[in-house]
Amino acid sequence: MTLTEGWPEPPAPLPRPVVDNHCHLDTRIRGGALIPVDEALDRAAAVGVTRTVQVGCDLEGSRWAVEVARAQPSVVAAVAMHPNDAARSQTLEADLAEIDRLAADPVVRAVGETGLDYFRTGADLRPLQHHSFREHIRIAKRHDRTLVIHDRDAHDDVLAILDDEGVPDRVVMHCFSGDADFAQRCVERGAYLSFAGTVTFKNAEYLREALRIAPRDRILVETDAPFLTPMPHRGEPNASFLIPHTVRFMAEVLEAPVEELCEAIDANTDRAFGGHWPERVATVT
């Protein structure tokens, strides 16, 4: 099978399997081609990324995530209105009701990505994000789902709303973007810290400091594919099969054996998302 044109070459396989706990298999960037779902999952499994969380950011994407998770045993779904989509929606209450309905499906393990994004949404629309975030927290609790938080330039308000609503049993800080102090504040609330390809960027020493102080049983890894591609492929499209670059870099930062870090990430992801689900066996040649 020839890799879809325009995508980076796959790295060497990891010594133990890990989970990509946040990706968008339905999203294309800069007009690029999508890798077909079966090929994307096979390519990932071939390098040791054997399970996936497909994340919806609006109603269409959330419904698609559920459909894919029903068809692909190695995939579970997360459903939500992304904070920027929530702020722009003209039918937010109906949207939230549909997310509530979708969250009841057994293939849905998480509600998210929800949260706050002060980078793309101005102060006038932030109250809508706050309302949506609160409702997603309540949906996650109602259905006993993991809460997956998108936090961009809004650290203090994210924690304030969490504290006000009451922290769910399982919380994942998607694409963790804070420093060591914020990491400690999140861990104190029981959150898992999910590191994306950004941790490999030259200007991201603050993320590496956060990684170093994170308890080993609270560390996850993700792609946020097709975004946030790790070095050495920054600027190219991202996919789950590139996670080995991030994991190996994280192991260097932690001065830990790659095998041990893989085992920790895999076990942590099971706890973070409410239990194990089947792994994919790669069929690519």
Side-chain angles (χ1 to χ4, degrees), residues 150-189:
H150 172 106
D151 164 29
R152 190 164 187 186
D153 298 346
H155 300 333
D156 290 341
D157 283 357
V158 162
L159 295 186
I161 290 174
L162 268 181
D163 291 344
D164 190 47
E165 289 292 330
V167 182
D169 289 340
R170 299 179 304 280
V171 174
V172 172
M173 300 301 294
H174 148 58
C175 186
F176 184 78
S177 60
D179 59 13
D181 176 69
F182 184 61
Q184 183 61 43
R185 293 161 67 194
C186 291
V187 168
E188 288 170 356
R189 289 161 172 82

Side-chain angles (χ1 to χ4, degrees), residues 93 96 99-100 103 111 114 130-145 147 161-162 164-168:
E93 295 309 318
L96 292 169
I99 295 300
D100 190 19
V111 171
T114 181
H130 292 192
H131 171 67
S132 177
F133 186 27
R134 289 179 183 275
E135 289 302 316
H136 280 82
I137 294 171
R138 294 165 189 169
I139 292 169
K141 289 181 175 181
R142 186 153 53 243
H143 297 285
D144 189 26
R145 302 302 189 230
L147 184 71
I161 290 174
L162 268 181
D164 190 47
E165 289 292 330
V167 182

Side-chain angles (χ1 to χ4, degrees), residues 246-262:
T246 306
V247 172
R248 289 191 170 97
F249 186 91
M250 291 167 64
E252 290 181 10
V253 171
L254 294 171
E255 299 180 351
V258 174
E259 183 172 350
E260 289 183 10
L261 182 58
C262 289

Side-chain angles (χ1 to χ4, degrees), residues 6 8 29-30 201 226-238:
I29 56 174
R30 296 188 295 277
F201 295 176
F227 311 104
L228 307 182
T229 312
M231 298 296 292
H233 296 292
R234 185 178 183 181
E236 300 177 69
N238 200 6

Side-chain angles (χ1 to χ4, degrees), residues 52-67:
T52 308
V53 182
Q54 168 63 24
V55 179
C57 290
D58 56 19
L59 293 188
E60 181 181 1
S62 294
R63 292 182 184 120
W64 192 86
V66 170
E67 291 173 4

Side-chain angles (χ1 to χ4, degrees), residues 18-19 219-221 247 250 261-270:
V18 299
V19 184
I219 295 172
L220 308 179
V221 71
V247 172
M250 291 167 64
L261 182 58
C262 289
E263 290 173 351
I265 288 170
D266 204 51
N268 296 347
T269 312
D270 283 347

